Amino acid sequence: MASTTPTQIDTAPSAVTQSGRSTGRAGDKIFAGLSKGSGILLLVIMASIAVFLTYRASIALSKNEGNFLTTFDWNASATPPVFGIAVLLFGTVVSSIIAMAIAVPIAVGIALFISHYAPRKLASPLAYVVDLLAAVPSIVYGIWGALFLVPQLNGLNLWLDEYLGWTYVFEKTQVGVARSLFTVGILLAIMILPIVTSVSREVFLQVPRMNEEAALALGATRWEVIRMSVLPFGRSGVISASMLGLGRALGETMAVATVLSPSFLISGHLLNPGGGTFAQNIAAKFDEANEFGRDALIASGLVLFLLTLLVNGAARLIIARRKEFSGANA
């Protein structure tokens, strides 16, 4: 018995290998190849988009009589054509900053409530509702914003002008409905709130249970557990969720076009009607533009493309440095 058992144990793996159980390794190779191919295909698509945008943008920029970065007008169909992205860049960045400033703190709070405070009977339906809101089309948000949000914000604008008008930013100097960059920022905040909440919630649920139990065993309160265990663990995930929401805010088209009253003026008074964004300008002018005008719009789309890449790259860099810092401290 003792002499045959080792032989059986030693020969079993080779028998398994020789009997045709190499399908697992073949499957691994196929899966690895598909994964690499998908990654390469994505890079090829991104490079193709960049080449196309750059080529069409170069045609428009070569005939532009204005400074593309500082000109406030957009007359691509004029003779000679004069257009620039100063107003569009300002409106896109400002509205996105407003949206992030409003949405991210609220989203983190909702995610913490669902993952660590709410009873299970309440957490599951609430999480389902949040995920459902993330799937609502942008045109629905735009119609809701135009018919409901804009009229409701008139009172808020008057209140901000009365009590915070001294800040210049919230000073309302023009009469009109609340179709401003501030309204766009609030609408974008509502749109990206479910996305940031969903991703942050899933990250908070991945916190090791032992870390929370150890903090509770040391006498920490629920908030101290969240501050010392949950938030540090989920910081990189919250950053990723915020950048995902920022990407949608930067490129949102239909909702912004439905709510905003566009104008090619830069004003620090965020409550005044007017302004513009890259996506809104492309949607508004694409149908009526001629071939050269479309090239000019593509040039503005190239700037938005590069802006999105810079934001995502900065987010990846921040996450990588935080992971490196956490590993060094460990």
Side-chain angles (χ1 to χ4, degrees):
M1 291 292 293
S3 61
T4 57
T5 301
T7 304
Q8 293 174 356
I9 295 176
D10 293 340
T11 57
S14 60
V16 170
T17 304
Q18 295 175 2
S19 64
R21 289 214 178 171
S22 58
T23 55
R25 294 183 179 178
D28 291 341
K29 292 180 179 179
I30 294 174
F31 180 76
L34 290 175
S35 300
K36 293 179 181 178
S38 300
I40 294 173
L41 178 62
L42 178 61
L43 294 177
V44 171
I45 293 175
M46 294 290 292
S48 301
I49 293 174
V51 171
F52 171 78
L53 294 177
T54 303
Y55 171 71
R56 297 292 295 269
S58 63
I59 297 176
L61 295 178
S62 63
K63 300 178 181 179
N64 184 17
E65 294 296 326
N67 189 306
F68 184 63
L69 297 178
T70 60
T71 301
F72 285 15
D73 297 330
W74 190 274
N75 295 319
S77 300
T79 304
V82 178
F83 56 91
I85 61 168
V87 176
L88 305 179
L89 181 61
F90 176 81
T92 300
V93 173
V94 169
S95 61
S96 298
I97 291 176
I98 295 173
M100 295 294 292
I102 297 174
V104 172
I106 299 176
V108 172
I110 296 174
L112 288 173
F113 175 76
I114 295 175
S115 60
H116 287 81
Y117 283 95
R120 182 172 299 179
K121 292 183 179 180
L122 177 60
S124 297
L126 188 57
Y128 175 77
V129 171
V130 171
D131 294 339
L132 184 63
L133 290 175
V136 175
S138 60
I139 186 61
V140 176
Y141 282 107
I143 295 174
W144 174 83
L147 298 180
F148 178 80
L149 183 63
V150 170
Q152 298 300 322
L153 287 181
N154 288 328
L156 176 61
N157 286 359
L158 294 176
W159 185 88
L160 291 173
D161 179 43
E162 181 178 357
Y163 293 100
L164 297 177
W166 55 271
T167 62
Y168 182 83
V169 174
F170 294 112
E171 181 183 8
K172 187 176 177 62
T173 60
Q174 297 181 11
V175 179
V177 294
R179 293 182 175 273
S180 59
L181 290 177
F182 182 70
T183 302
V184 171
I186 293 177
L187 181 61
L188 291 177
I190 296 173
M191 295 180 64
I192 68 176
L193 182 64
I195 299 175
V196 182
T197 301
S198 298
V199 178
S200 300
R201 182 192 71 234
E202 295 301 322
V203 172
F204 293 151
L205 289 174
Q206 301 302 318
V207 178
R209 188 63 183 173
M210 294 180 60
N211 293 3
E212 300 182 29
E213 292 177 351
L216 290 172
L218 293 174
T221 62
R222 181 68 64 88
W223 164 244
E224 289 174 338
V225 171
I226 292 175
R227 182 171 58 86
M228 295 186 298
S229 299
V230 179
L231 291 179
F233 179 87
R235 186 175 290 114
S236 60
V238 172
I239 294 175
S240 299
S242 302
M243 293 304 105
L244 184 63
L246 179 58
R248 181 172 185 181
L250 289 172
E252 181 52 46
T253 304
M254 297 309 301
V256 177
T258 306
V259 170
L260 185 65
S261 295
S263 67
F264 274 84
L265 294 173
I266 292 180
S267 174
H269 303 291
L270 298 183
L271 302 182
N272 290 340
T277 67
F278 286 112
Q280 169 269 326
N281 186 62
I282 294 173
K285 298 184 179 299
F286 192 82
D287 285 341
E288 63 185 23
N290 55 23
E291 187 68 21
F292 180 82
R294 293 180 180 179
D295 289 340
L297 294 174
I298 289 175
S300 67
L302 175 61
V303 178
L304 180 60
F305 180 78
L306 295 176
L307 180 62
T308 305
L309 290 181
L310 289 176
V311 169
N312 291 333
R316 297 298 303 175
L317 180 62
I318 293 173
I319 294 173
R321 295 190 64 178
R322 285 193 175 277
K323 288 182 178 180
E324 181 181 355
F325 180 75
S326 300
N329 289 341

